[in-house]
Amino acid sequence: MRRAVAAVSGAIFGLGLMISGMTDTTKVQGWLDFLGDWDPTLAFVLGGAILPMAVAWALAGRLGAPAFDTRFPAPPDPQLDRQLAIGSILFGMGWGLAGLCPGPSLASLSWGGWGGALFLIAMVAGMLAAPPVARRLLAV
Amino acid sequence: MIADYWMGLAGGLMIGIAASILLLGNGRIMGASGILGSVVDGSARGRDRTEKLWFMGGLIGAPALAILIFGPGETHLTGNISVIIAAGLLVGLGTRLANGCTSGHGVCGISRLSPRGIVATLWYLLAGAVTVYLFRHIMGLI
């Protein structure tokens, strides 16, 4: 059952990314182009996504346990650190450069052509490079 | 343009519903970078890894089926190989260092007012905006 839940969640996520325009790099870069021809669509996407999820978190607080597991994730960690800021800045730079983030790069894999596949390969390489980079960051 | 906003809202609601299903069903946070990252680096094992692969199967497979019916959309990704590789490396490295991306920090984090989710989102939005400004309006590369 947990596998089915995961697959259904992934499927709805992928279709939502596709319908919302998140897989279209011009819409993402248009959203980030605040000083140019700004496209506010992504505010609707993020707002639309946060709404049901806020309800889900509230429900989780009342339910005590998920349907197919014994407990919900731990409360959010209030600790802010340098690694969070540096990582998010690097991610934002890449997001701006290509207009793709991890979810949409997977969702658009079937029609994204060689460029989309190359992006995914480079992204996986970056992910594998993260642990040694993190050790250096913590050592500085 | 207005139709785009409605599509954005509809797709956004679907993204939020997908995240709600994973949370209320399996007790997991729907973070694309964490799911892919932990599968490729081997930190997800056993049942957890299997479930993440099923999630990725849905994420890749459902849009693949949709384009069979409706025809492929456009990603409009740049053809500049150096830009694609640099962007991919930055997204992969950055999201794993920050422990989250647009779905994990943005959608799942902000919706429960997680300080890390909110701060991460502000940083990647700012960095993305500065990058688009520099590379589009100053250098004319993207």
Side-chain angles (χ1 to χ4, degrees):
Chain A
M1 196 60 200
R2 288 180 58 94
R3 289 178 190 179
V5 169
V8 166
S9 169
I12 298 174
F13 181 39
L15 295 175
L17 289 170
M18 200 179 177
I19 289 169
S20 63
M22 288 288 291
T23 52
D24 183 347
T25 60
T26 52
K27 289 213 80 70
V28 174
Q29 288 179 326
W31 153 256
L32 291 172
D33 195 5
F34 291 97
L35 298 172
D37 188 14
W38 187 54
D39 180 347
T41 307
L42 251 76
F44 290 86
V45 182
L46 193 62
I50 287 174
L51 222 63
M53 197 51 190
V55 175
W57 281 119
L59 265 174
R62 293 184 179 207
L63 286 172
F68 306 108
D69 205 338
T70 50
R71 61 181 169 194
F72 282 112
D77 181 1
Q79 190 66 42
L80 303 172
D81 49 40
R82 193 171 44 183
Q83 197 178 317
L84 179 75
I86 294 171
S88 297
I89 289 168
L90 295 177
F91 163 44
M93 288 165 62
W95 194 38
L97 267 182
L100 273 179
C101 52
S105 82
L106 287 170
S108 65
L109 189 62
S110 55
W111 80 93
W114 64 267
L118 182 63
F119 179 89
L120 183 62
I121 292 167
M123 184 171 76
V124 167
M127 286 177 162
L128 295 174
V133 172
R135 278 195 291 277
R136 293 242 171 144
L137 275 179
L138 291 173
V140 180
Chain B
M1 202 69 165
I2 299 297
D4 283 6
Y5 300 163
W6 283 109
M7 294 296 271
L9 187 65
L13 285 168
M14 288 174 70
I15 296 168
I17 289 168
S20 306
I21 290 173
L22 201 62
L23 177 73
L24 297 174
N26 291 358
R28 295 299 159 115
I29 289 173
M30 190 189 77
S33 59
I35 290 171
L36 175 63
S38 63
V39 165
V40 296
D41 72 12
S43 54
R45 293 196 180 89
R47 186 186 78 163
D48 181 39
R49 180 184 168 85
T50 312
E51 285 169 14
K52 284 174 170 161
L53 286 168
W54 279 87
F55 178 88
M56 283 165 56
L59 174 54
I60 298 170
L65 284 176
I67 65 163
L68 286 180
I69 302 165
F70 301 106
E74 278 282 354
T75 59
H76 297 116
L77 184 65
T78 175
N80 185 325
I81 294 178
S82 322
V83 170
I84 293 176
I85 293 176
L89 286 171
L90 283 166
V91 170
L93 176 64
T95 52
R96 289 304 271 164
L97 286 180
N99 229 328
C101 57
T102 350
S103 48
H105 279 317
V107 176
C108 298
I110 292 177
S111 60
R112 67 166 172 172
L113 302 175
S114 151
R116 288 176 59 86
I118 293 167
V119 167
T121 302
L122 290 175
W123 277 121
Y124 67 67
L125 279 179
L126 181 68
V130 170
T131 303
V132 168
Y133 181 74
L134 285 177
F135 283 82
R136 175 167 289 175
H137 298 295
I138 306 291
M139 294 158 71
L141 257 173
I142 56 173

